[in-house]
């Protein structure tokens, strides 16, 4: 059995930031990532980030991933990185089990930071399993990671930030986005993204949803219709859209299975995307020594995930006795950054959710 001081599960923006913060404090870290590369969602995010200089504002997500890995490399003497490694479980004796390249191993850390991210939600409608119907993240991976054009004509379902950003990236790749629809009465994403879309001539139809998907061997056509203020379909409002790709971007759900397994106290918080673990201000769950960061703690932007990661890594290392002289200053700075990122109308929803998830 291998030993480590802090095990970090997930090598995306939150996990990378946690590893940097914990290692910079002096702790020995094992970072575990199920993909063959680090960076998580940053690997496919070609748009520039908002926020402040501390959250790499005006830097593209793909470049932020490289920056974080370069920072982590400064502490290679006390950081072990396991890629292509899937954590199978966390058990009562504090051991986690890992499968890597068909080999099974056990790891006993003193502290855990779970940064497993989220999965895409889907929609129910007739023929929703036709080839050509994807989650928005899958389309983004095809284009921005593998350079594969998903199709010629796309219907985007969801006008949140992901739907708007991926639609713009599809147009940049030469794909025709026929329309963006959303069941909500107003656009959920930032207006700066929506304005870019409208300038490109893409219609955004709010209060609309999918009625039916058609196709023999793959998607060929989609029927959409309007919904009322109670999200009930309005007969007679149907219209057909020719499309060989439907891209669904209707939200994310925290990937919290490991936290359920170990027995963390959970709460269903719609504002945060679903079931999330209760936590304190230091990102520590109801179980001592188990911390969280990123989308598994509640769905937010990657900027917030990175700051949560820094906070979790800092606090986990501090709990092991790594008492850097500037600990309180660094912790305060993380909390202030999170407060700033959660200001405004979007932040009100997040803050409402966090109030329900605070231990």
């Amino acid at each position: 059995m291998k030993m480590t001081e802090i095990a970090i599960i997930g090598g995306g923006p939150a996990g990378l930031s946690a590893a940097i913060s914990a290692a910079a404090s002096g702790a020995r870290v094992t970072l575990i990532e199920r993909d063959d590369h680090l960076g998580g969602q940053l690997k496919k995010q070609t748009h520039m980030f908002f926020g402040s200089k501390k959250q790499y504002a005006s830097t593209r997500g793909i470049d932020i991933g490289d920056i974080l890995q370069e920072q982590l490399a400064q502490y290679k003497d006390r950081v072990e990185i396991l890629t292509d490694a899937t954590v199978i479980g966390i058990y009562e004796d504090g051991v986690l089990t890992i499968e890597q390249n068909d080999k099974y191993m056990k790891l006993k850390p003193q502290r855990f930071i779970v940064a497993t991210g989220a999965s895409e939600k889907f929609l129910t409608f007739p023929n929703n399993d036709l080839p050509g119907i994807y989650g928005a993240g899958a389309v983004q991976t095809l284009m921005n990671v593998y350079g594969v054009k998903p199709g010629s004509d796309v219907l985007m379902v969801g006008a949140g930030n992901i739907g708007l950003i991926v639609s713009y990236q599809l147009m940049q790749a030469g794909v025709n986005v026929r329309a963006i629809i959303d069941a909500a009465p107003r656009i959920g994403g930032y207006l700066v993204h929506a304005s870019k879309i409208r300038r490109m001539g893409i219609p955004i139809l709010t209060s609309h949803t999918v009625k039916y998907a058609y196709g023999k061997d793959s998607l060929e056509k989609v029927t959409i219709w309007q919904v009322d203020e109670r999200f009930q379909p309005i007969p007679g409002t149907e219209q057909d859209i020719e499309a060989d790709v439907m891209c669904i971007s209707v939200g994310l759900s925290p990937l919290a299975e490991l936290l359920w397994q170990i027995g963390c106290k959970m709460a269903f918080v719609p504002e945060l995307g679903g079931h999330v673990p209760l936590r304190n201000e230091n990102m520590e769950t109801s179980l001592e020594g188990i911390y969280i960061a990123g989308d598994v703690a509640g769905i937010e932007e990657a900027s917030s995930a990175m700051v949560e990661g820094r906070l979790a890594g800092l606090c986990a290392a501090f709990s092991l006795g790594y008492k850097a002289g500037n600990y309180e200053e660094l912790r305060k700075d993380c909390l202030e950054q999170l407060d700033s990122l959660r200001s405004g109308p979007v932040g009100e929803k997040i803050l409402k959710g966090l109030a329900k998830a605070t231990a």
Side-chain angles (χ1 to χ4, degrees), residues 58-344:
S58 300
T59 304
R60 298 185 187 278
I62 52 176
D63 297 324
I64 294 172
D66 292 337
I67 291 169
L68 293 177
Q69 290 180 69
E70 289 169 5
Q71 292 177 5
L72 187 60
Q74 299 175 24
Y75 308 103
K76 59 184 179 182
D77 58 324
R78 50 181 177 269
V79 175
E80 180 184 21
I81 299 173
L82 303 177
T83 55
D84 279 321
T86 300
V87 173
I88 300 170
I90 304 176
Y91 300 95
E92 293 177 354
D93 56 1
V95 172
L96 62 83
T97 55
I98 304 166
E99 185 276 324
Q100 183 186 40
N101 300 323
D102 296 325
K103 294 182 179 180
Y104 179 82
M105 68 180 79
K106 293 182 179 181
L107 180 69
K108 180 71 179 286
Q110 296 178 45
R111 300 290 185 272
F112 296 83
I113 300 176
V114 178
T116 44
S119 61
E120 292 188 281
K121 295 180 179 178
F122 213 64
L123 282 179
T124 300
F125 53 85
N127 293 330
N128 69 351
D129 59 348
L130 276 171
I133 300 177
Y134 301 90
V139 166
Q140 202 175 33
T141 299
L142 282 173
M143 289 194 303
N144 297 348
V145 178
Y146 298 109
V148 175
K149 184 178 176 181
S152 299
D153 295 285
V154 173
L155 171 67
M156 176 65 69
V157 182
N161 282 326
I162 295 175
L164 296 172
I165 289 169
V166 175
S167 294
Y168 186 77
Q169 292 172 355
L170 282 161
M171 293 291 285
Q172 286 181 311
V175 179
N176 180 30
V177 179
R178 300 295 306 277
I180 301 173
I181 67 170
D182 199 302
R186 59 184 62 87
I187 294 168
Y190 294 140
L191 291 182
V192 64
H193 295 315
S195 297
K196 288 166 61 177
I197 289 296
R198 282 184 163 146
R199 285 197 299 269
M200 298 182 82
I202 303 171
I204 302 177
L205 307 176
T206 54
S207 297
H208 280 75
T209 191
V210 177
K211 180 180 181 180
Y212 209 100
Y214 300 88
K216 183 179 179 182
D217 298 317
S218 62
L219 182 68
E220 299 172 8
K221 183 176 69 174
V222 182
T223 298
I224 65 172
W225 55 357
Q226 286 181 265
V227 296
D228 60 24
E229 65 277 2
R230 292 178 296 175
F231 299 98
Q232 297 302 305
I234 303 173
T237 62
E238 293 89 346
Q239 58 178 300
D240 292 337
I241 295 178
E242 303 289 334
D244 59 352
V245 172
M246 186 193 304
C247 193
I248 297 178
S249 177
V250 293
L252 302 170
S253 297
L255 282 170
E257 289 86 350
L258 291 172
L259 298 165
W260 281 104
Q261 181 191 27
I262 191 59
C264 292
K265 290 183 180 178
M266 309 289 289
F268 181 73
V269 183
E271 295 88 349
L272 299 181
H275 283 96
V276 295
L278 301 184
R279 84 297 303 268
N280 62 21
E281 194 176 52
N282 294 335
M283 305 304 296
E284 189 174 21
T285 68
S286 59
L287 296 181
E288 184 178 355
I290 298 181
Y291 297 77
I292 53 173
D295 281 346
V296 73
I299 308 303
E300 294 188 68
E301 298 294 318
S303 300
S304 298
M306 289 187 286
V307 181
E308 286 184 345
R310 290 182 204 130
L311 178 61
L314 178 73
C315 294
F318 182 80
S319 73
L320 290 171
Y322 292 100
K323 301 179 180 179
N326 58 351
Y327 166 75
E328 287 296 342
E329 180 181 338
L330 292 170
R331 178 179 172 277
K332 180 181 177 183
D333 181 60
C334 288
L335 294 173
E336 289 176 349
Q337 287 185 58
L338 289 171
D339 285 342
S340 176
L341 288 167
R342 292 162 180 163
S343 61

